[in-house]
């Protein structure tokens, strides 16, 4: 049996206490939303909100220009009916040509012009009374008159083209200016409109609205200001800005008002002083419904300022479209534009050959033969 050894407890070797174990305690749940640190926030890219796709609307349909055949419908129906009656109503030469003269006068070609046209046709055909031959000769004679008055528009070179528009009250002059502005801006570039109608109440405001639609700049002063000063400022601004075209809207004037006609002369003088050669064009705006009275207006306006062209407004609303022929025969100046509607894009450049073709066309052909080059 082994010997029992008694060890003194105080002599036991020291034993290291067991290591302390750290226990992670889960935090208590909280209702607060914790935000990420700023340095992490910078790295987080915001997610764009996804918007629902909207249905794509189709573009509005392109408005087709008014055809000259449609615009001349009233004139053509009246004119051709009388021509047919003259050619088929009698076999006698004298009665046929009397009927032709009456048909031309009724269309507002004018007495003198109607007699000259009928005499020219008769001299060409002699005793030939065939309706087709007379009709073709009449058409050719009217075309000759229209073409003889035609001439190329003015060329201002590198300078702005300055066009002054004149006319009596109520012919559609202000709206014609705006339509011209829209057309010339599309064809030539920037346009400045001079609001030189400082007499009529609200004329400047009306022109501002139209210029806004046309995208044209406007130079204006207060009502009652000197119209020549407005025109001068417009031309000066156009030269400085290198603007392509200047349109000068003048006050509607009765051709019997001498002082107002003198104002037109002053505008022309002042504009020419700022830009030699200006105004390069002076166009008389006429209402086609006035018929032969338009020639009286043209004669007196022509005494005040040299007219270089005519804009014939409201041609679509009259049966007196023959005044176009009267203007060419009497005044020997070209018709530049004609009005076949009220929309701003309805201003159409006048084409003499197209006009004559539409005037003599049958109803179906008159509506389909012309794409139109006419409005105001």
């Amino acid at each position: 049996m082994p010997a029992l050894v008694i060890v003194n407890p105080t002599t036991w070797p020291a034993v290291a206490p067991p290591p302390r174990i750290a226990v992670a305690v889960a935090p208590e749940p909280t209702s607060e939303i914790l935000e990420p640190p700023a340095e992490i926030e910078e790295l987080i890219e915001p997610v764009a909100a996804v918007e629902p796709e909207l249905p794509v609307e189709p573009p509005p349909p392109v408005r087709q220009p008014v055809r000259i055949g449609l615009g001349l419908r009233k004139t053509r129906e009246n004119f051709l009916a009388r021509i047919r009656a003259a050619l088929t109503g009698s076999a006698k030469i004298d009665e046929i040509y009397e009927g032709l003269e009456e048909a031309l006068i009724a269309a507002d070609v004018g007495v003198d012009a109607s007699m000259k046209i009928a005499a020219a046709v008769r001299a060409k055909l002699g005793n030939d009374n065939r309706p087709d031959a007379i009709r073709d000769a009449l058409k050719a004679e009217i075309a000759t008159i229209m073409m003889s008055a035609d001439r190329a528009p003015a060329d201002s070179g590198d300078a702005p083209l300055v066009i002054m528009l004149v006319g009596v009250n109520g012919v559609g002059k202000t709206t014609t200016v705006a339509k011209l502005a829209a057309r010339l801006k599309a064809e030539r570039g920037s346009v400045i409109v001079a609001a030189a109608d400082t007499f009529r109440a609200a004329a400047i405001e009306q022109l501002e609205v139209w210029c806004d639609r046309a995208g044209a700049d406007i130079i204006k002063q207060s009502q009652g200001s000197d119209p020549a000063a407005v025109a001068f400022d417009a031309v000066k601004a156009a030269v400085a800005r290198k603007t392509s075209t200047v349109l000068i809207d003048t006050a509607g004037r009765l051709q019997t008002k001498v002082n107002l006609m003198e104002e037109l002369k002053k505008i022309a003088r002042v504009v020419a002083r700022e830009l030699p050669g200006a105004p390069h064009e002076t166009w008389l705006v006429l209402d086609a419904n006035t018929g032969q009275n338009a020639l009286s207006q043209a004669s007196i306006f022509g005494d005040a300022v040299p007219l270089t062209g005519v804009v014939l407004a409201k041609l679509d609303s009259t049966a007196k479209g023959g005044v176009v022929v009267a203007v060419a025969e009497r005044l020997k100046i070209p018709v530049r534009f004609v009005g076949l509607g009220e929309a701003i894009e309805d201003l159409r450049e006048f084409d003499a050959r197209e006009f004559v073709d539409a005037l003599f066309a049958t109803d179906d052909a008159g509506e389909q033969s012309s794409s139109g080059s006419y409005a105001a």
Side-chain angles (χ1 to χ4, degrees):
M1 180 176 180
L4 181 62
V5 179
I6 299 173
V7 180
N8 188 352
T10 60
T11 63
W12 286 357
V15 180
R20 298 180 64 184
I21 301 174
V23 179
V25 180
E28 294 183 4
T30 177
S31 59
E32 296 182 359
I33 299 175
L34 300 179
E35 297 182 357
E39 60 271 13
I40 297 179
E41 253 185 4
E42 294 177 357
L43 300 177
I44 299 175
E45 296 182 359
V47 179
V50 179
E51 297 181 357
E53 294 185 2
L54 298 177
V56 179
E57 296 183 1
V62 179
R63 184 180 181 277
Q64 295 299 319
V66 178
R67 293 171 176 167
I68 182 60
L70 292 175
L72 281 175
R73 174 181 290 181
K74 293 181 180 180
T75 297
R76 184 178 63 251
E77 290 175 350
N78 176 58
F79 179 68
L80 290 183
R82 291 178 178 273
I83 292 295
R84 282 193 294 268
L87 297 181
T88 60
S90 174
K92 297 180 180 180
I93 291 293
D94 290 342
E95 294 179 359
I96 289 175
Y97 283 101
E98 286 178 5
L100 284 183
E101 290 179 7
E102 292 174 1
L104 292 168
I105 292 172
D108 248 321
V109 173
V111 175
D112 292 341
S114 298
M115 294 177 65
K116 289 178 182 178
I117 292 171
V121 172
R122 187 169 186 175
K124 183 183 297 183
L125 296 180
N127 293 324
D128 189 345
N129 63 354
R130 292 174 300 155
D132 288 346
I134 296 175
R135 183 178 180 277
D136 291 344
L138 178 62
K139 179 179 177 180
E141 185 62 27
I142 292 177
T144 299
I145 292 174
M146 299 301 300
M147 298 298 292
S148 64
D150 197 18
R151 63 166 156 250
D155 183 3
S156 61
D158 295 330
L161 175 66
V162 180
I163 303 173
M164 182 166 69
L165 288 101
V166 300
V168 301
N169 287 311
V171 297
K173 179 165 44 56
T174 298
T175 52
T176 297
V177 169
K179 293 172 185 180
L180 276 171
R183 183 182 183 93
L184 293 175
K185 181 181 179 182
E187 294 178 353
R188 294 174 49 86
S190 54
V191 175
I192 287 179
V193 175
D197 181 357
T198 59
F199 292 95
R200 182 168 60 90
I204 298 173
E205 291 77 5
Q206 179 190 10
L207 189 60
E208 278 187 294
V209 172
W210 277 106
C211 287
D212 184 60
R213 295 180 188 176
D217 296 330
I218 184 171
I219 300 294
K220 62 179 183 176
Q221 293 185 15
S222 59
Q223 184 177 351
S225 300
D226 183 1
V230 179
F232 177 86
D233 289 346
V235 173
K236 186 175 182 179
V239 172
R241 303 177 193 176
K242 301 187 183 303
T243 302
S244 298
T245 309
V246 178
L247 296 173
I248 302 175
D249 179 29
T250 60
R253 305 157 193 275
L254 294 174
Q255 62 269 33
T256 55
K257 298 293 185 180
V258 177
N259 58 329
L260 293 181
M261 300 304 286
E262 288 297 322
E263 189 64 45
L264 286 181
K265 298 178 183 179
K266 180 181 177 182
I267 292 174
R269 288 195 308 269
V270 169
V271 167
R273 190 162 63 240
E274 175 61 23
L275 181 62
H280 306 97
E281 296 273 2
T282 301
W283 294 346
L284 175 64
V285 182
L286 297 173
D287 183 345
N289 290 282
T290 61
Q292 290 298 297
N293 187 42
L295 298 181
S296 172
Q297 297 173 24
S299 176
I300 299 178
F301 274 97
D303 291 339
V305 288
L307 300 176
T308 61
V310 167
V311 179
L312 197 62
K314 308 174 187 179
L315 185 61
D316 58 316
S317 61
T318 181
K320 300 179 179 181
V323 71
V324 176
V325 182
V327 168
E329 195 278 332
R330 173 86 68 86
L331 305 178
K332 304 295 191 261
I333 57 177
V335 176
R336 295 299 189 189
F337 293 90
V338 293
L340 300 180
E342 297 180 355
I344 198 167
E345 65 271 15
D346 280 339
L347 192 65
R348 305 293 179 222
E349 188 175 357
F350 182 77
D351 182 281
R353 177 62 66 180
E354 184 181 22
F355 170 82
V356 175
D357 287 343
L359 183 62
F360 281 85
T362 61
D363 288 341
D364 292 339
E367 296 179 6
Q368 299 175 4
S369 63
S370 265
S371 60
S373 50
Y374 306 155

